[in-house]
Amino acid sequence: MGITSIEKAETYYQRSPEICRAIGYRQGEARNLLNWGLILVDQGRIGQALRLYQEALEAYRSVDDRRGKVLALGNLADLCYHYLGDDDRAA
């Protein structure tokens, strides 16, 4: 049995943030971290997704990307509320 499209996508998302970081493209790094996190959530790997969302937020903060910060915070809130049952952290 070959590699699935999800596994292939995850492989690309693992490499993408490093490449973006190397060329100084923090928004691209953060965007790829968020997308990779979505794959992890679908696979039930919530702790890993949480870490990636936090990394994405820090990348967006480092370049003062307000839209990106909102996206990352929304993903974090969704994760905390729906998967971790942490209403206080979601707010």
Side-chain angles (χ1 to χ4, degrees):
M1 187 168 183
I3 189 168
T4 68
S5 58
I6 294 293
E7 291 168 331
K8 186 180 271 189
E10 185 174 1
T11 298
Y12 292 139
Y13 280 127
Q14 288 172 347
R15 288 189 279 177
S16 295
E18 296 170 15
I19 294 167
C20 291
R21 207 172 296 125
I23 62 172
Y25 182 34
R26 296 303 307 263
Q27 286 98 336
E29 173 189 350
R31 188 174 305 114
N32 282 293
L33 289 168
L34 289 179
N35 289 335
W36 183 9
L38 292 172
I39 290 173
L40 295 176
V41 168
D42 283 343
Q43 294 175 337
R45 296 158 59 191
I46 305 306
Q48 290 172 299
L50 180 63
R51 180 182 55 81
L52 293 181
Y53 290 166
Q54 290 168 331
E55 286 182 39
L57 178 59
E58 289 308 311
Y60 281 130
R61 283 182 173 157
S62 76
V63 292
D64 197 30
D65 183 329
R66 291 172 51 182
R67 180 182 176 277
K69 288 187 280 187
V70 168
L71 290 172
L73 287 169
N75 283 22
L76 282 164
D78 185 61
L79 200 64
C80 289
Y81 180 76
H82 289 290
Y83 294 95
L84 301 177
D86 191 345
D87 295 348
D88 293 332
R89 248 176 107 184

